[in-house]
Amino acid sequence: MASDAVRRLSLDAFRNYDHAGLDAGPAPVVLLGENGAGKTSLLEALSLLAPGKGLRGAALADLQNRFLPGRPWAVAAELEGRLGPAHIGIGADADSPRERRVLRMDGKTGRGAATLPEHVAVLWATPEMDRLLSESATARRRFMDRMVAALHPAHRARLGRYEEAMRARLRLLREGGADPAWLASLEDDMAREGIPLACARREWAENLARHLPGNPDPFPPLRAHVEGYADSLIAATPSLDAEDAFRARLKENRGRDAASGITEHGPHRSDLRSFHGASGLAAGLCSAGEQKALLIALVMAQARLLAEQRGSGPLLLLDDITTHLDEARREALGHEIRNLGLQAWLTGADAGFFDALKGNAQFFWLAAGEIRMMA
């Protein structure tokens, strides 16, 4: 299977790096080093090849090396993507009076971040996500929407339009005395954007379910689906009827939404529900180790889905991934990455945790903002 792969990565004034770079082949990459060496920062730089704020969700100002304030941060990647070779540069816009990011694609400035998924898909798992399956529905929705947008880049823009209309409607309701026709127009926007949002999520979950059984033992079996008001609507009625029903519910709930200060119904309240496939136990009730294994199972199924639908596997970023994994699961993960042919970038402090990749991966040692290849 073909896979997106970064051949060269360069960092300038980024996080704890002055200037650093590394050359890599298509094989997995293991980044080793002590805490604070810059391993996660390097993965964060790679995650900026996807639309959004990257795996830390950081403000652009936080990406700047604070000891080099006069040199705007920049990340450059030469990669082999779905459309062939590409050179992508991302950095702070030094000429803008406000914080903004500039993107250069093959030497041309001004192309929007929405074009990035045409070239490369980026998928990640971080320690902050270890409790994703047991924490807030908001975090799971963001995760789900990132997964959907990797397959359908227009999903992100649709979500933005839906949320903008929802905020405007709620603001009018709070202020009181709004023109009913204005409210109806905003509710129409919410229905026209919201129901397709729910449909895209449902399609993603159904396609993902086909790949969940592909996870190797001893990773636990996983079941997942999307649950919520909008999801019940599209399961029971055609899309156009679902839009009409959603409009009617929004109109009916104006008073309740105004009083509560929230919009009670819509795809913004949907949740990704997941269960241990063998026991039937909700994923959020499983042990920390089982939750980590279930999250990895979900991410690896997404990698297989991306490979199927894009014709190219994603760039896979796995930060401190061996925490809570026993030896059998570490070995199974390594074999799965190799079998899928993915260029996975993995971080850790102990090279022994990556024995399953030895002889099939590139190992680098990071220290004090410098990167060197290991023999």
Side-chain angles (χ1 to χ4, degrees):
M1 177 187 69
S3 176
D4 299 339
V6 170
R7 300 305 177 92
R8 176 160 182 80
L9 179 69
S10 300
L11 309 176
D12 195 76
F14 183 86
R15 292 287 192 182
N16 63 316
Y17 291 95
D18 179 345
H19 181 78
L22 64 81
D23 294 295
V29 177
V30 178
L31 306 173
L32 299 170
E34 303 297 333
N35 292 338
K39 303 184 299 294
T40 301
S41 294
L42 195 149
L43 293 194
E44 182 179 28
L46 289 167
S47 73
L48 297 178
L49 297 175
K53 293 184 176 182
L55 57 78
R56 278 174 167 150
L60 295 183
D62 293 336
L63 305 180
Q64 179 68 42
N65 185 322
R66 65 181 186 277
F67 298 110
L68 300 169
R71 207 167 85 211
W73 66 267
V75 173
E78 296 176 17
L79 60 89
E80 190 71 32
R82 187 170 67 91
L83 301 181
H87 187 182
I88 299 173
I90 302 166
D93 187 350
D95 297 325
S96 175
R98 59 188 180 86
E99 186 179 289
R100 66 186 293 268
R101 182 168 72 171
V102 63
L103 170 68
R104 291 177 64 85
M105 186 81 68
D106 293 327
K108 298 179 181 178
T109 304
R111 299 194 70 189
T115 64
L116 288 171
E118 298 174 9
H119 297 269
V120 59
V122 188
L123 179 61
W124 61 78
T126 69
E128 291 73 24
M129 294 166 60
D130 283 357
R131 304 291 293 182
L132 176 76
L133 302 180
S134 63
E135 292 183 343
S136 73
T138 299
R140 287 190 292 277
R141 267 194 310 276
R142 288 174 180 162
F143 171 83
M144 176 168 55
D145 285 325
R146 193 167 69 245
M147 300 301 100
V148 176
L151 292 162
H152 306 291
H155 181 78
R156 183 181 293 272
R158 188 182 293 279
L159 179 62
R161 293 192 296 270
Y162 172 83
E163 291 179 340
E164 182 179 1
M166 180 177 66
R167 287 192 296 267
R169 171 183 177 271
L170 195 56
R171 184 167 58 249
L172 291 177
L173 290 175
R174 287 170 174 166
E175 292 171 354
D179 181 355
W182 195 354
L183 285 171
S185 176
L186 291 170
E187 290 163 356
D188 182 61
D189 290 342
M190 290 176 65
R192 284 188 293 104
E193 303 291 0
I195 294 303
L197 274 179
C199 288
R201 290 170 177 168
R202 185 185 185 194
E203 178 188 6
W204 166 77
E206 290 175 347
N207 286 326
L208 187 76
R210 293 188 290 104
H211 292 277
L212 287 172
N215 285 308
D217 292 332
F219 281 93
L222 173 68
R223 294 186 291 108
H225 68 271
V226 189
E227 187 175 287
Y229 165 77
D231 312 287
S232 299
L233 274 183
I234 62 173
T237 58
S239 294
L240 290 178
D241 293 341
E243 288 184 21
D244 290 339
F246 186 24
R247 287 188 193 91
R249 177 57 64 92
L250 288 169
K251 181 178 180 180
E252 176 186 334
N253 269 35
R254 288 174 185 174
R256 292 180 61 179
D257 291 351
S260 66
I262 61 172
T263 304
E264 292 188 358
H265 295 89
H268 61 286
R269 296 179 68 83
S270 295
D271 193 6
L272 176 63
R273 301 295 307 280
S274 52
F275 302 85
H276 192 293
S279 67
L281 190 66
L285 300 178
C286 294
S287 68
E290 286 297 277
Q291 286 192 49
K292 178 67 170 274
L294 289 167
L295 175 65
I296 293 173
L298 186 61
V299 168
M300 296 307 293
Q302 172 75 0
R304 289 191 290 272
L305 176 58
L306 283 166
E308 175 191 81
Q309 298 204 358
R310 296 176 69 251
S312 178
L315 192 67
L316 183 61
L317 313 179
L318 302 176
D319 190 24
D320 199 17
I321 198 64
T322 56
T323 301
H324 299 308
L325 291 187
D326 57 28
E327 183 178 356
R329 284 176 176 167
R330 292 197 301 267
E331 184 175 352
L333 176 61
H335 286 308
E336 183 69 359
I337 288 170
R338 287 165 47 196
N339 290 340
L340 292 175
L342 300 176
Q343 191 194 54
W345 294 65
L346 308 94
T347 71
D350 188 341
F353 285 169
F354 302 97
D355 283 346
L357 291 171
K358 285 184 177 176
N360 296 280
Q362 306 152 92
F363 285 74
F364 293 85
W365 180 259
L366 279 62
E370 297 185 356
I371 307 167
R372 64 177 175 84
M373 194 168 192
M374 301 172 64

